[in-house]
Amino acid sequence: MKRLFVIFLVLLLAITGCTSDTATEGPEIAEETDSNDLQEEVIEEIFEEDEIEEAVETPIEEAEENLYTEEKEEEKEPLVAETPAYEDLTEAERTETEVDETNNLKIKGLVEKELSLILDQLKEMDIIFEADFYSLNNFGTTGYTHFKGVKLWNLLKEKALIREEASKISIVAHDGYTVEFTVEDVQREYIDETDPTTKYPMIIAWEENGEEYSPSEGAPYKLVVGQKEPGDINKPKWVSNIDVILVE
Ligand SMILES: Nc1nc2c(c(=O)[nH]1)N[C@H]1C(S)=C(S)[C@@H](COP(=O)(O)O)O[C@H]1N2
Ligand SMILES: [Mo]
């Protein structure tokens, strides 16, 4: 291509030279020589080998680069479309794409299956228990509170598959408040000193007096336990905003 162009230019200059030669009757050879020298000079000056290559190749490289850029942009576009901004999602979509497990109920440690559960998963379990739990506080304050939740021992035994060697279960809240129990503490039944006929399992509650905890107020789970024997101060063991159930 470049060679054709050079030949074309040489021809063009030659023709121009000839024309001027024929127009002027003067010394033909001298004129022609001048004209030839001029042609060579012009060609050498403007079209040195390197420059020709540059002149021809640069636009191709640029074109290739542009093509590549366009391809890359085309590839990017669908990806952007597939990940819409969090604000643009509906409530249901947010729940689906939610990776923040802060409010999930986590079970970690000596279990076959470590779990990170959302409320809907707990509600679907066949280990639900609800009752009025009696509480006694440090200063003798008493009361009854209705709780609904899952039985903790069943959760550990049937769902998380607690390991044989496990001995300690710590209920850790988001504020760092922690209550430790032995495996036997979690397995056993509890009483209400005011009503000897009842027996209660230890539960992880999500509903108190008919109302679910609001996730905006932290992890919506509370550990609830009755009394071991009359006089047992059980209220401080009710751990609210549970983060992790740690099995050791
Ligand atoms: N996460 C968390 N749970 C907690 C506590 C706490 O500080 N943080 N205090 C405990 C104590 S000492 C008591 S007496 C009861 C108080 O429960 P109330 O705030 O519902 O009266 O919660 C218990 N659970
Ligand atoms: Mo307390």
Side-chain angles (χ1 to χ4, degrees), residues 66-110:
N66 287 343
L67 205 70
Y68 184 55
T69 314
E70 275 166 29
E71 271 175 20
K72 275 205 297 201
E73 274 168 11
E74 268 173 37
E75 276 173 19
K76 271 182 200 162
E77 267 173 40
L79 278 177
V80 171
E82 276 166 23
T83 28
Y86 184 78
E87 305 88 74
D88 296 334
L89 297 173
T90 65
E91 205 61 50
E93 285 170 335
R94 281 182 191 185
T95 312
E96 261 181 43
T97 55
E98 192 68 81
V99 286
D100 178 10
E101 298 184 18
T102 309
N103 271 3
N104 287 18
L105 183 70
K106 277 86 74 182
I107 302 178
K108 295 181 182 173
L110 294 177

Side-chain angles (χ1 to χ4, degrees), residues 43-62:
I43 290 160
E44 272 172 21
E45 258 180 46
I46 305 172
F47 296 107
E48 275 184 2
E49 195 63 16
D50 287 352
E51 282 176 8
I52 293 166
E53 275 175 17
E54 258 182 45
V56 175
E57 279 173 17
T58 306
I60 289 168
E61 274 172 8
E62 273 172 16

Side-chain angles (χ1 to χ4, degrees), residues 136-138 172-179 208 222-223 233-242:
L136 174 61
N137 205 349
N138 312 61
V172 185
H174 277 278
D175 63 358
Y177 189 76
T178 304
V179 176
E208 180 170 332
K222 184 184 277 190
L223 179 107
I233 297 164
N234 63 331
K235 185 81 183 273
K237 298 172 190 166
W238 292 7
V239 183
S240 53
N241 303 121
I242 300 168

